[in-house]
Amino acid sequence: MANRLTHALLLLQRLAYARILCEFHRQRQVHGGGAMSPPEAVTACRRLRSCEANWEHCRTELVDSPLAASVRVARALHLQRMLGSAAARLAPWNDRSDLASSPPSHLFEWVSHDYERLELAELEDAMTPEETALYAQSLESLLR
């Protein structure tokens, strides 16, 4: 069971990273004024499609499994830790800054932060009452 949990969490992390990379390249193109898609953006979109297919295959195996709850709670806890580090990751920047003149690392961190918040909200909304209780208990122990 631990291997399946780890595998599912790794697939979710790869999927999240692929989504962030696609959005990062899209934002760079929008704010950089480029009309052509750079090769990195094309590669990122291909990677995203592959990650989506891999996750969909794994997700269908988890549908009626008790492991699905463990995956949701573990992923939510990971995202909470990531959001907890947001102040350190984003501290030197202001979200009102002009993205066209921002360094790529700034844009990447903001895109990551936005996606982390969105994914966490979706996970929390999808949790059953039992998962919510386990999540709250785990969060409490994490914050101690």
Side-chain angles (χ1 to χ4, degrees):
M1 183 163 142
N3 286 340
R4 288 183 62 206
L5 175 64
T6 300
H7 179 72
L9 291 171
L10 285 172
L11 287 176
L12 280 172
Q13 186 58 33
R14 285 181 190 143
L15 178 58
Y17 182 72
R19 283 179 178 151
I20 291 164
L21 262 182
C22 280
E23 181 61 17
F24 165 74
H25 287 298
R26 190 184 77 73
Q27 289 291 331
R28 281 188 74 191
Q29 187 176 8
V30 167
H31 296 290
M36 296 292 291
S37 234
E40 296 90 4
V42 172
T43 301
C45 289
R46 264 193 228 121
R47 180 181 186 168
L48 175 58
R49 285 190 299 276
S50 173
C51 289
E52 287 172 337
N54 290 337
W55 170 244
E56 187 56 33
H57 177 71
C58 181
R59 192 179 69 76
T60 57
E61 292 177 356
L62 293 174
V63 169
D64 292 325
S65 167
L67 189 59
S70 299
V71 169
R72 267 192 296 279
V73 170
R75 182 69 183 159
L77 290 170
H78 172 72
L79 291 167
Q80 279 288 349
R81 285 190 290 272
M82 292 301 293
L83 290 171
S85 72
R89 292 185 292 148
L90 302 171
W93 301 306
N94 182 329
D95 64 349
R96 290 180 213 69
S97 301
D98 177 27
L99 292 177
S101 63
S102 296
S105 58
H106 172 188
L107 178 60
F108 186 84
E109 288 299 337
W110 277 109
V111 169
S112 296
H113 182 258
D114 288 346
Y115 270 78
E116 289 158 2
R117 286 188 354 223
L118 178 64
E119 184 182 356
L120 180 60
E122 289 172 353
L123 281 170
E124 289 174 340
D125 286 346
M127 287 182 184
T128 65
E130 295 81 15
E131 292 168 353
T132 302
L134 175 61
Y135 175 56
Q137 184 182 29
S138 299
L139 259 180
E140 195 175 296
S141 66
L142 195 108
L143 298 174
R144 286 184 199 160

